[in-house]
């Protein structure tokens, strides 16, 4: 007796295709297995009664659980492994803290900080400190500061926007030509633009002249100093695109930083 089992463990005709995990079982003794298939696991079990059939179901279920856990584990690391470069727009306290945190997640990761102040730029590159905001905290060696927008944005996989709301529109208009249309923008800026009462979700696509620019909001409860001191804290990632929100979560989550996701935001 020969049968193929797949969830929900019903018998199928031999060689009927379906997705892994797959099992081939045949009666023993004396039964001959079907031709070998690299995607199929062979189970040699007697099929004499309910007890043996329950054993087949148990083994198949254990295989499914192991396969599912392995798939989930790979998904959690895929985003970080695929990410080679991120850019942080702004050299303030929270932008510096985010740059330092993400840089510690993967040492080969290139973390570029686009700053305006040449003195801050030099202190980050030469002394590995932000002399203006965190002079006592050493930054990872893979955090690089620059005043060149084109160089900072070239080849970036994620962009963290940490420029204050009141200056965001003019700043983004200046660098719009260097921004890839598919580059996910993660906004760390909070509040309304005073003259227009626009939120960052309205400012970013208009300033970049791209209504489809991927957009994510990153908000507290947290403080920059907590991140720099590696204290336990939490952030919320919100986006209408759940896939991008999950990607940012996988990029940033660590043992001291919990990242929750949401589809609702008002920024």
């Amino acid at each position: 007796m020969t049968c193929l089992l797949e969830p929900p463990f019903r018998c199928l005709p031999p060689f009927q295709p379906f997705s892994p995990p797959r099992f081939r079982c045949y009666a023993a003794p004396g039964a001959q297995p079907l031709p070998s298939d690299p995607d199929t696991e062979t189970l040699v079990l007697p099929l004499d009664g309910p007890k043996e059939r329950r054993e087949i179901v148990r083994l198949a279920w254990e295989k499914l659980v192991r396969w599912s856990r392995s798939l989930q584990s790979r998904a959690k690391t895929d985003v970080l492994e695929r990410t080679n470069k991120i850019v942080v727009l702004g050299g303030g306290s929270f932008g510096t803290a985010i740059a330092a945190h993400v840089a510690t997640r993967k040492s080969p990761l290139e973390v570029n900080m686009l700053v305006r102040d040449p003195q801050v730029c030099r202190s980050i590159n030469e002394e590995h400190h932000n002399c203006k905001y965190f002079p006592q905290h050493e930054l990872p060696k893979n955090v690089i500061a620059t005043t060149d927008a084109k160089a900072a944005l070239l080849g970036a996989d994620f962009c963290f926007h940490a420029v204050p709301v009141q200056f965001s529109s003019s700043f983004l208009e200046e660098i719009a030509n260097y921004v890839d249309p598919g580059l996910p923008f993660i906004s760390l800026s909070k509040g309304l633009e005073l003259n227009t009462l626009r939120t960052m979700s309205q400012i970013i696509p208009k300033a970049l002249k791209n209504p489809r620019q991927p957009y994510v909001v990153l908000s507290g409860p947290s403080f920059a100093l907590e991140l720099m001191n590696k204290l336990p804290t939490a952030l919320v990632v919100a986006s209408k695109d759940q896939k991008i929100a999950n990607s940012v979560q996988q990029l940033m989550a660590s043992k001291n930083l919990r990242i929750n996701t949401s589809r609702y935001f008002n920024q």
Side-chain angles (χ1 to χ4, degrees), residues 217-221 234-238 258-262:
V217 171
L218 187 67
S219 61
L235 291 168
V236 177
V237 172
R258 175 171 180 167
I259 303 288
N260 299 311
T261 63
S262 173

Side-chain angles (χ1 to χ4, degrees), residues 27-69:
Q32 295 297 320
L34 295 175
S36 61
D37 182 343
D39 294 327
T40 304
E41 180 173 327
T42 301
L43 304 175
V44 183
L45 294 171
L47 301 177
D48 297 332
K51 182 178 180 180
E52 289 74 18
R53 288 194 290 270
R54 285 196 299 270
E55 180 67 9
I56 291 176
V57 172
R58 184 186 68 80
L59 292 174
W61 178 254
E62 289 179 354
K63 176 72 173 180
L64 276 174
V65 171
R66 290 196 301 271
W67 177 72
S68 176
R69 288 175 178 172

Side-chain angles (χ1 to χ4, degrees), residues 209-253:
K209 299 180 177 62
N210 180 14
R212 296 183 178 274
Q213 192 78 40
Y215 178 73
V216 179
V217 171
L218 187 67
S219 61
S222 67
F223 296 97
L225 189 59
E226 291 177 336
L227 283 175
M228 293 299 291
N229 289 333
K230 296 181 172 58
L231 297 176
T233 187
L235 291 168
V236 177
V237 172
S239 177
K240 294 179 181 179
D241 188 331
Q242 189 64 34
K243 184 177 180 180
I244 295 179
N246 290 340
S247 295
V248 177
Q249 180 188 46
Q250 293 168 23
L251 176 70
M252 298 187 64

Side-chain angles (χ1 to χ4, degrees), residues 2-22:
T2 303
C3 67
L4 289 176
L5 296 181
E6 76 161 352
F9 313 113
R10 52 190 173 82
C11 287
L12 300 173
F15 305 113
Q16 180 168 335
F18 53 90
S19 301
R22 296 166 58 183

Side-chain angles (χ1 to χ4, degrees), residues 89 159 161 165 168-177 179-187 189 193 196 198-217 239-240 265-267:
L89 306 181
C159 178
H161 179 87
V165 174
S168 290
S169 184
S170 58
F171 176 84
L172 291 171
E173 287 171 358
E174 291 177 9
I175 67 170
N177 292 336
V179 176
D180 187 279
L183 178 64
F185 256 69
I186 304 155
S187 176
S189 308
E193 194 176 43
T196 64
R198 292 185 303 171
T199 63
M200 288 305 303
S201 62
Q202 297 169 312
I203 293 172
I204 288 178
K206 185 171 182 179
L208 298 178
K209 299 180 177 62
N210 180 14
R212 296 183 178 274
Q213 192 78 40
Y215 178 73
V216 179
V217 171
S239 177
K240 294 179 181 179
F265 60 88
N266 57 4
Q267 290 191 41

Side-chain angles (χ1 to χ4, degrees), residues 78-90:
D78 277 351
V79 171
L80 187 60
E81 289 176 357
R82 292 196 307 265
T83 302
N84 298 312
K85 179 181 179 179
I86 71 161
V87 58
V88 178
L89 306 181

